């Protein structure tokens, strides 16, 4: 909401004119009504009025929109950084938007708004097949190319998917987990959302591996809504309800830090093995502190950068592969203390050997 208010005051102070101070508000109200924005209670737009431009304006820069799952999420800020870097280099006007809190309805609304604004290209996740495939196809039918990043809507008419092979990343986490625990663990899962395809695939991949080890028991699964505070609560519930818990598998960027915080709060440091996702700053801190033992590092900056590049390639008629697996690496505390270690070190070619096992 704050973004909307700031947007309103900027418009009022700018083009409004001293004689008719109500004019920008009336115009905004009309635009809101036209786009059905009253239904969206918490979205954060970019730094510009929406839409930036219309398709009827010749000679303008291409206008792409990157829709994130959660506006201020540090993982999505990494995606944004890559996209903005490519946009600046390639002369594209990029708008970054996203719900303030992860919210499928608001996310879909933003996608619909981008279509209504007739932007020149959209970068989005395909979070669920049922809800995102029709919307992505609607954009494509209206001549707006869509590239999915981070999570694919495989059955949609998107131009390309750029991101992690999420199932495979879960498999890799599972193998690391088995080696680190020696095949003996009571594990709880903290997952971002139950609906998102990428979260489902990570869990499925992980379970496909640990299912082969009778000494590993899955005690339960809790949801964080990709929110740190809710991730702490989710992990705390697992720890409370399963006093024999020895490990947590945390499947989205803030779930690892949430789990680590919950373990710390309960004075269980050193007694619960945590495997998370991504290398947001808090995760790196918890890795250094020995509370997170491994994290599956994706390449969000590359996803953003490559997504913009592909939309530009499409405009120029250049061919590119429909699926680009950006890959993951597994980062452990040992990698951080190695020469050249630290955030970004996981971009190296070799997957590190497991370390930090608690059992
Ligand atoms: C996922 C994103 C998600 C983010 C949330 C990442 O691991 O790939 O889909 O939005 O975590 O924190």
């Amino acid at each position: 909401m704050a973004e909307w208010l700031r947007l309103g005051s900027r418009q009022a102070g700018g083009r409004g004119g001293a004689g008719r101070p109500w004019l920008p508000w009336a115009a905004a109200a009309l635009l809101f009504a036209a786009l059905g924005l009253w239904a969206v209670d918490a979205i954060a737009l970019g730094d510009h009025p929406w839409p930036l431009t219309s398709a009827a304006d010749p000679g303008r820069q291409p206008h792409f929109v990157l829709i994130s799952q959660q506006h201020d999420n540090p993982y999505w800020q990494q995606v944004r950084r890559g996209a903005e870097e490519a946009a600046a280099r390639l002369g594209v006007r990029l708008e970054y938007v996203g719900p303030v809190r992860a919210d499928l309805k608001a996310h879909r609304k933003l996608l619909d708004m981008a279509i209504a604004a007739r932007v020149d290209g959209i970068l989005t996740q395909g979070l669920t097949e049922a809800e995102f495939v029709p919307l992505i196809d609607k954009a494509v039918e209206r001549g707006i190319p869509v590239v999915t990043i981070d999570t694919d809507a495989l059955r949609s008419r998107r131009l390309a998917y750029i991101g992690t092979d999420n199932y495979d990343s879960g498999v890799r986490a599972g193998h690391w987990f088995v080696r680190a625990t020696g095949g003996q663990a009571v594990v709880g899962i903290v997952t971002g959302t139950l609906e998102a395809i990428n979260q489902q695939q990570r869990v499925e991949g992980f379970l496909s591996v640990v299912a082969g080890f009778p000494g590993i028991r899955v005690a339960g699964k809790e949801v964080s809504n990709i929110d740190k505070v809710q991730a702490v609560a989710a992990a705390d519930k697992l720890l409370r309800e399963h006093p024999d818990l020895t490990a947590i598998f945390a499947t989205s960027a803030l779930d690892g830090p949430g789990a680590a915080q919950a373990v710390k709060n309960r004075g269980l440091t050193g007694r619960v093995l945590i495997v998370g996702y991504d290398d947001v700053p808090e995760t790196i801190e918890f890795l250094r502190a020995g509370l997170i033992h491994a994290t599956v590092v994706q390449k969000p900056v590359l996803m953003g950068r490559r997504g913009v590049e592909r939309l530009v390639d499409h405009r120029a008629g250049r061919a590119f592969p429909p699926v680009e697996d950006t890959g993951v690496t597994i980062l452990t505390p040992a990698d951080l203390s190695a020469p050249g270690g630290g955030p970004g070190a996981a971009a190296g070619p070799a997957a590190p050997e497991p370390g930090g096992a608690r059992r």
Side-chain angles (χ1 to χ4, degrees):
M1 251 333 182
E3 285 292 325
W4 281 112
L5 292 177
R6 266 186 273 145
L7 172 63
S9 58
R10 211 184 357 256
Q11 284 178 321
R15 289 190 303 261
R20 286 172 292 169
W22 47 268
L23 198 57
W25 291 103
L30 273 176
L31 185 64
F32 272 43
L35 296 177
L37 292 182
W38 62 83
V40 181
D41 57 355
I43 58 176
L45 298 183
D47 297 329
H48 309 278
W50 181 291
L52 281 174
T53 53
S54 87
D57 175 12
R60 69 198 157 72
Q61 287 179 300
H63 171 202
F64 298 163
V65 173
L66 165 59
I67 305 172
S68 65
Q69 192 169 2
Q70 188 188 41
H71 191 274
D72 292 342
N73 187 298
Y75 170 87
W76 284 99
Q77 293 298 326
Q78 293 175 329
V79 177
R80 176 186 193 171
R81 183 150 48 86
E84 287 182 344
E85 177 270 307
R89 179 164 41 85
L90 297 169
V92 167
R93 205 162 189 186
L94 181 86
E95 190 154 15
Y96 174 79
V97 296
V100 171
R101 280 175 295 280
D103 174 355
L104 270 182
K105 199 169 150 217
H107 197 128
R108 278 169 26 227
K109 193 82 200 171
L110 285 167
L111 195 43
D112 229 2
M113 285 166 65
I115 297 169
R118 294 194 292 148
V119 299
D120 300 306
I122 298 174
L123 299 169
T124 182
Q125 295 158 290
L127 279 172
T128 66
E129 286 278 337
E131 288 150 307
F132 281 73
V133 170
L135 266 180
I136 291 172
D137 288 355
K138 176 175 163 185
V140 174
E141 274 151 28
R142 296 189 182 185
I144 304 170
V146 177
V147 168
T148 50
I149 50 169
D150 178 83
T151 312
D152 195 14
L154 185 61
R155 279 183 268 278
S156 72
R157 293 172 62 196
R158 48 80 173 141
L159 273 187
Y161 168 63
I162 295 158
T164 300
D165 177 334
N166 284 294
Y167 183 85
D168 183 64
S169 75
V171 168
R172 294 190 59 173
H175 286 307
W176 188 92
F177 188 85
V178 167
R179 288 201 297 271
T181 59
Q184 295 292 323
V186 180
V187 58
I189 297 173
V190 177
T191 193
T193 81
L194 294 178
E195 300 84 20
I197 297 167
N198 64 342
Q199 300 296 295
Q200 293 172 353
Q201 290 175 335
R202 290 173 192 183
V203 172
E204 282 164 19
F206 179 82
L207 294 179
S208 76
V209 175
V210 302
F213 293 83
I216 298 180
R217 182 166 63 81
V218 179
K221 180 164 77 174
E222 296 294 333
V223 177
S224 70
N225 291 315
I226 74 165
D227 174 81
K228 164 80 186 300
V229 173
Q230 292 183 58
V232 177
D236 190 71
K237 184 161 185 274
L238 287 167
L239 292 165
R240 190 176 65 244
E241 290 179 357
H242 308 281
D244 56 344
L245 208 74
T246 61
I248 295 177
F249 177 48
T251 70
S252 72
L254 301 179
D255 299 341
Q261 191 61 53
V263 165
K264 194 174 170 186
N265 293 349
R266 282 190 171 262
L268 293 172
T269 302
R271 291 177 48 199
V272 180
L273 178 103
I274 298 176
V275 179
Y277 265 78
D278 302 305
D279 60 352
V280 300
E282 258 194 295
T283 299
I284 299 299
E285 279 168 33
F286 279 122
L287 271 169
R288 285 195 202 286
L291 271 134
I292 293 181
H293 304 88
T295 190
V296 180
V297 180
Q298 306 186 83
K299 300 206 177 66
V301 179
L302 177 61
M303 291 179 209
R305 184 196 310 142
R306 194 52 54 79
V308 169
E309 287 170 354
R310 289 313 184 217
L311 287 172
V312 169
D313 283 343
H314 176 70
R315 287 175 74 80
R318 288 188 288 266
F320 46 84
V323 173
E324 198 166 332
D325 178 1
T326 45
V328 295
T329 50
I330 295 185
L331 186 72
T332 66
D335 303 310
L336 292 177
S337 48
E353 284 307 302
R358 314 302 309 169
R359 299 176 55 86

